């Protein structure tokens, strides 16, 4: 089938590199004589038939811009639609038929969906309904097992590492315990790598349950060695040995309703009470999602976008583009969302952190000397 028109959307949380993917998709398609429609605000644009034409002018100059010119949403799930006036959290609707109608009425031959596991899971449902879709993996959490890297992660990691660097001087000057809280949901990649790169002293990640006693012991050990400050990097999804994590709120209708947050304040209160030392908390939050993408993320996003169009031209839909080593490959979308990629507690990265003296707030991981 000759491809005459494709659609593209960005869904889920924003992150650096989204516009670079949109540009890569549009420029490659336009150079092949294919029209491109950009659907607004994720799947909501398909529900409401709202889009813009992505011509050469529309995508000019967006490579370095953060966010997404198309807008995005992590609430507009067509299979569980809770947005008024169509639905509500108390009365969600299945409006997938509206999406199918929009695709058919606009003569869209294939769709590129850019998003994380929630977006790709919805994409798989539409693939099963017969919609030709190619997925592009986006998440700052880097937690999709089918790809070595997702775009957005490197930019978020750079922000987090810079923050660790900057709080060093304040921690040392005031003899404080400084706690930096990163994003990452149920995977500890941002926290772990920024802690290693920034020289953090204690790293709390979801994959290694922490104990308050072990955190206190690690700080006291530094004090005995004459260290007057400590830096803790805590992933928002860090859990204690009882399996408890800090949940800030629950959002009905969202593809990921649990909003994590507050682990840093929890740890700070505990440390101040038990050690009588001053603690300060820095929550990076959405700073990790904003701003100009790094060179790596622009490079990766562009390659993902152009390869998505290549797959469409080859008739290879139902797949997601992925990075393996330095090569862009394709994997079935259903496989891409089947398993989260999480930090291996016994892996080389954890062992490397241990080797330079980093504590994980646990007495159950190996020591620094080859275990």
């Amino acid at each position: 089938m000759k491809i005459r028109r494709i659609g593209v959307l960005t869904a889920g949380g924003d992150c650096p590199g989204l516009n670079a993917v949109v540009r890569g998709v549009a420029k490659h398609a336009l150079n092949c004589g294919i029209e491109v429609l950009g659907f607004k605000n994720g799947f909501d644009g398909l529900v409401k038939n709202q889009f813009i034409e992505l011509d050469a002018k529309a995508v000019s100059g967006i490579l370095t811009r953060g966010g997404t010119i198309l807008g995005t949403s992590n609430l507009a799930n067509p299979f569980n639609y809770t947005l008024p006036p169509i639905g509500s959290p108390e009365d969600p609707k299945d409006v997938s038929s509206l999406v199918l109608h929009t695709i058919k009425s606009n003569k869209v031959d294939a769709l590129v969906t850019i998003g994380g596991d929630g977006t790709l899971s919805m994409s798989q449902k539409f693939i099963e309904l017969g919609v030709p879709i190619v997925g592009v993996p986006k998440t700052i959490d880097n937690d999709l097992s089918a790809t070595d890297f997702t775009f957005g992660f490197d930019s978020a990691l750079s922000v987090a590492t810079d923050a660790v660097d900057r709080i060093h001087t304040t921690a040392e000057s005031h003899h404080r315990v400084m706690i930096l809280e990163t994003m990452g949901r149920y995977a500890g990649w941002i926290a772990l790598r920024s802690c290693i790169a920034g020289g953090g002293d204690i790293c709390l990640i979801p994959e290694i349950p922490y104990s308050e006693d072990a955190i206190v012991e690690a700080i006291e050990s530094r004090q005995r060695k004459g260290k007057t400050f400590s830096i803790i990097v805590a992933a928002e999804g860090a859990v204690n040995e009882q399996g408890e994590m800090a949940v800030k709120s629950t959002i009905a209708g969202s593809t990921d309703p649990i909003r994590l947050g507050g682990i840093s304040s929890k740890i700070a209160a505990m440390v101040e009470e038990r050690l009588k030392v001053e603690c300060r908390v820095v929550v990076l939050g959405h700073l990790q999602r904003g701003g100009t993408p790094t060179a790596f993320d622009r490079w990766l996003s562009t390659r993902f976008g152009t390869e998505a169009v290549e797959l469409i031209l080859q008739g290879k839909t139902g797949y997601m583009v992925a990075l393996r080593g330095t090569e862009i490959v394709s994997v079935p979308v259903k496989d891409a969302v089947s398993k989260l990629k999480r930090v291996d507690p016994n892996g080389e990265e954890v062992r490397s952190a241990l080797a330079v003296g980093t504590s994980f707030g646990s007495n159950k991981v190996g020591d620094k000397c080859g275990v």
Side-chain angles (χ1 to χ4, degrees):
M1 179 183 76
K2 181 173 175 59
I3 304 297
R4 300 181 185 278
R5 179 179 289 172
I6 65 174
V8 59
L9 62 83
T10 56
D14 70 305
C15 79
L18 282 168
N19 284 325
V21 180
V22 171
R23 174 182 176 272
V25 169
K27 288 180 76 71
H28 186 18
L30 292 170
N31 287 336
C32 294
I34 301 170
E35 294 181 4
V36 184
L37 302 183
F39 288 94
K40 295 182 177 181
N41 304 319
F43 283 98
D44 208 35
L46 285 167
V47 172
K48 297 176 179 175
N49 195 24
Q50 296 176 343
F51 59 85
I52 59 174
E53 183 178 349
L54 293 177
D55 55 16
K57 183 178 180 180
V59 298
S60 177
I62 68 171
L63 177 65
T64 61
R65 286 176 58 181
T68 164
I69 62 169
L70 298 178
T72 188
S73 173
N74 53 14
L75 295 175
N77 179 353
F79 298 96
N80 190 52
Y81 195 82
T82 60
L83 300 177
I86 299 174
S88 69
E90 297 75 27
D91 185 24
K93 305 292 186 182
D94 184 341
V95 294
S96 56
S97 61
L98 294 178
V99 172
L100 298 177
H101 177 74
T102 296
I103 292 171
K104 183 177 180 180
S105 64
N106 289 294
K107 298 180 180 179
V108 174
D109 297 313
L111 188 66
V112 177
T113 58
I114 308 168
D117 52 353
T119 300
L120 293 171
S121 294
M122 284 185 273
S123 298
Q124 178 58 33
K125 290 184 178 181
F126 281 114
I127 290 168
E128 293 167 2
L129 292 175
V131 180
I133 289 177
V134 171
V136 177
K138 171 242 49 160
T139 170
I140 67 170
D141 307 327
N142 202 40
D143 60 356
L144 291 176
S145 61
T147 183
D148 290 349
F149 285 97
T150 56
F151 75 87
F153 170 68
D154 187 68
S155 298
L157 177 60
S158 295
V159 171
T161 303
D162 182 64
V164 178
D165 290 345
R166 289 176 181 275
I167 65 173
H168 255 103
T169 53
T170 297
E172 187 171 8
S173 297
H174 290 272
H175 316 300
R176 290 172 176 163
V177 173
M178 299 288 289
I179 306 175
L180 181 74
E181 183 174 324
T182 70
M183 284 183 165
R185 293 199 302 173
Y186 310 112
W189 296 109
I190 296 176
L192 174 61
R193 292 189 178 175
S194 64
C195 188
I196 292 174
D201 305 304
I202 300 172
C203 184
L204 308 180
I205 58 175
E207 296 86 349
I208 301 177
Y210 69 83
S211 116
E212 293 182 355
D213 289 343
I215 294 172
V216 169
E217 180 182 326
I219 297 171
E220 288 179 329
S221 175
R222 286 178 52 79
Q223 291 173 338
R224 288 193 295 270
K225 296 173 183 176
K227 301 290 186 178
T228 60
F229 71 97
S230 293
I231 293 176
I232 302 174
V233 181
E236 63 182 353
V239 298
N240 62 21
E241 291 182 334
Q242 290 71 48
E244 300 166 337
M245 62 176 58
V247 177
K248 182 168 57 177
S249 61
T250 302
I251 309 298
S254 174
T255 55
D256 183 27
I258 295 176
R259 297 290 186 267
L260 299 172
I263 181 64
S264 53
S265 295
K266 179 181 178 181
I267 297 300
M270 181 274 294
V271 169
E272 286 191 333
E273 180 182 353
R274 294 186 58 174
L275 291 178
K276 310 304 178 187
V277 297
E278 190 175 16
C279 291
R280 288 292 186 271
V281 166
V282 177
V283 180
L284 286 179
H286 288 80
L287 283 174
Q288 295 157 97
R289 293 191 176 279
T292 301
T294 60
F296 179 87
D297 277 338
R298 298 180 214 176
W299 168 83
L300 182 59
S301 298
T302 300
R303 294 183 69 194
F304 275 168
T306 57
E307 184 61 22
V309 175
E310 279 295 310
L311 292 180
I312 290 172
L313 292 173
Q314 296 168 16
K316 194 175 180 181
T317 57
Y319 285 80
M320 182 193 84
V321 294
L323 181 70
R324 298 279 177 82
T326 59
E327 299 297 317
I328 304 296
V329 300
S330 59
V331 296
V333 171
K334 65 177 183 295
D335 294 341
V337 298
S338 62
K339 182 182 178 182
L340 284 180
K341 179 177 68 179
R342 307 181 75 215
V343 174
D344 180 358
N346 300 306
E348 182 275 329
E349 287 191 58
V350 170
R351 295 199 307 272
S352 181
L354 289 167
V356 295
T358 305
S359 167
F360 285 88
S362 172
N363 294 317
K364 296 182 179 180
V365 291
D367 65 26
K368 301 181 285 295
C369 298
V371 176

